[in-house]
């Protein structure tokens, strides 16, 4: 079952699409103001290697979002036989290009390219994904940093939806560098929008269901469709679903359905608030990427 055909009062759904839209309106207003004051418009570049369906969609949505807020954007596409050296040379070029304020290299990359090497080659002040070890380290240390977009999008979504986090037990499922690990750090920060007690669960965690049942907030970021089931959820918990797996579905024109990491039909009736897939965390990731690009253009984090 999909979010559309499970009966959940809309007041319990966490509308990430609308919240992201609100943020985009704010960004667009600031861009217009800066333009009127004679500043150049922020410029985001995206590198896309190969033809992965999911990555194509994400990057297309990122470029469209740039247009929506008045940014310039550049999409650089390469076939998946590009060598690591060629990709690193492109990164070096973007690092030096004064027109480009920030750029991303869409992941995953083909197996012959080391993503860590590519991420480390990006200048931290242009790393609007917030993946560079310098930005991660600064985030952990509580210093100004470009924050990873999905984790900061989750924190922003909870805050803007008026969901109290302080003192709550948050269980994060999944320890990826992109989502699980950084969101566990952000949610534990001494900030009004965080202050959670965080448990980070992963593939080796024992008694996962028991631990999840103690959570006031569950963040599911494992990339396994419908992994989180009703028996893992305390009634009244807030459920944040980061999953976006394409599952074959012959009844759909596209041939697939996007599935979250949460079994929505089982879990939604128990949760006090829950994000749908799509329309939950995904749009927030894009909104926060735009916000990082604006901050990079302003030289807010790493002065130019
Ligand atoms: N692949 C999945 N999520 C992301 C993201 O936020 N940024 C990049 N660059 N690649 C991704």
């Amino acid at each position: 079952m999909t979010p559309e055909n499970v009966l959940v009062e809309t007041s319990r759904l966490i509308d990430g699409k609308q919240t992201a839209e609100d943020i985009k309106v704010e960004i667009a207003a600031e861009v217009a103001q800066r333009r009127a004051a004679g500043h150049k418009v922020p410029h985001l570049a995206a590198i896309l290697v190969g033809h992965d369906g999911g990555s194509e969609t994400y990057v297309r949505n990122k470029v469209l979002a740039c247009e929506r807020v008045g940014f310039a954007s550049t999409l650089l596409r390469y076939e998946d036989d590009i060598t690591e050296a060629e990709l690193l040379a492109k990164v070096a070029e973007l690092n030096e290009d004064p027109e480009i304020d920030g750029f991303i290299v869409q992941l995953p990359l083909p197996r012959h390219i080391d993503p860590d090497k590519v991420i480390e080659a990006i200048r931290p002040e242009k790393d609007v994904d917030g993946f560079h070890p310098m930005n991660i380290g600064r985030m952990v240390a509580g210093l100004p940093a470009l924050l990873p977009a999905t984790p900061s999008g989750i924190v922003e979504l909870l805050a803007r939806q008026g969901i109290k986090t302080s003192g709550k037990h948050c269980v994060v499922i999944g320890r990826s560098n992109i989502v699980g690990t950084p969101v566990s750090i952000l949610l534990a920060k001494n900030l009004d929008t965080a202050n959670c007690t965080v448990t980070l669960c992963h593939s080796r965690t024992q008694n996962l269901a028991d631990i999840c049942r103690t959570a006031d907030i569950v963040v599911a970021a494992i990339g396994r469709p419908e992994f989180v089931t009703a028996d893992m959820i305390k009634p009244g918990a807030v459920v944040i679903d980061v999953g976006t797996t394409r599952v074959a579905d012959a009844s759909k024109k596209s041939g697939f359905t996007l599935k979250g990491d949460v079994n929505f039909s089982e879990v939604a009736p128990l949760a006090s608030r829950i994000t749908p897939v799509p329309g939950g965390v995904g749009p927030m990731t894009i909104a926060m990427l735009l916000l990082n690009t604006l901050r990079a253009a302003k030289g807010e984090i790493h002065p130019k």
Side-chain angles (χ1 to χ4, degrees), residues 20-22 24-28 61-71 290:
E21 200 53 41
D22 296 344
K24 283 192 253 178
V25 168
E26 292 164 18
I27 294 172
N61 289 338
K62 287 169 185 177
V63 168
L64 286 173
C66 282
E67 286 171 19
R68 167 84 180 71
V69 297
F71 287 5
L290 297 173

Side-chain angles (χ1 to χ4, degrees), residues 58-290:
Y58 292 139
V59 169
R60 184 173 351 111
N61 289 338
K62 287 169 185 177
V63 168
L64 286 173
C66 282
E67 286 171 19
R68 167 84 180 71
V69 297
F71 287 5
S73 64
T74 299
L75 172 57
L76 300 162
R77 299 200 60 144
Y78 300 98
E79 292 302 322
D80 50 20
D81 60 358
I82 185 173
T83 66
E84 187 178 89
E86 285 167 336
L87 187 56
L88 289 170
K90 201 63 222 173
V91 167
E93 219 175 277
L94 292 174
N95 280 340
E96 295 307 319
D97 185 343
E99 169 56 28
I100 303 295
D101 296 295
F103 64 100
I104 63 161
V105 180
Q106 188 65 28
L107 303 176
L109 289 167
R111 288 161 60 95
H112 64 277
I113 300 177
D114 178 355
D116 292 333
K117 221 168 170 180
V118 174
I119 289 166
E120 280 204 71
I122 299 172
R123 263 171 61 183
E125 58 267 43
K126 291 194 176 191
D127 165 41
V128 285
D129 259 332
F131 292 168
H132 192 284
M134 178 73 87
N135 280 314
I136 298 290
R138 290 178 67 93
M139 174 190 74
V140 173
L143 297 168
L146 289 167
L147 300 175
T150 302
S152 61
I154 292 169
V155 172
E156 190 70 19
L157 187 58
L158 291 168
R160 288 192 183 232
Q161 294 273 335
I163 294 167
K164 295 275 173 280
T165 53
S166 189
K168 304 287 186 196
H169 182 208
C170 179
V171 170
V172 177
I173 316 174
R175 58 181 158 186
S176 71
N177 285 346
I178 293 184
V179 185
T181 294
V183 82
S184 70
I185 289 162
L186 286 180
L187 284 168
K189 288 245 162 253
N190 186 1
L191 295 168
D192 288 342
T193 53
N195 274 327
C196 287
T197 303
V198 177
T199 304
L200 179 55
C201 297
H202 47 75
S203 54
R204 303 295 171 94
T205 296
Q206 295 181 355
N207 306 323
L208 179 65
D210 292 342
I211 294 168
C212 279
R213 262 196 313 277
T214 68
D216 303 304
I217 301 170
V218 174
V219 178
I222 25 172
R224 284 173 63 178
E226 303 190 323
F227 179 85
V228 176
T229 45
D231 60 302
M232 298 165 75
I233 299 296
K234 174 170 75 178
V238 173
V239 179
I240 305 294
D241 189 348
V242 185
T244 52
T245 306
R246 289 179 164 202
V247 174
D249 181 350
S251 75
K252 291 276 164 81
K253 214 171 92 188
S254 60
F256 68 87
T257 303
L258 214 54
K259 287 254 186 239
D261 287 350
V262 175
N263 185 324
F264 190 88
S265 59
E266 272 187 35
V267 169
L270 284 172
S272 61
R273 306 291 309 277
I274 185 166
T275 57
V277 175
V281 173
M284 289 300 293
T285 298
I286 295 183
M288 301 315 277
L289 172 68
L290 297 173

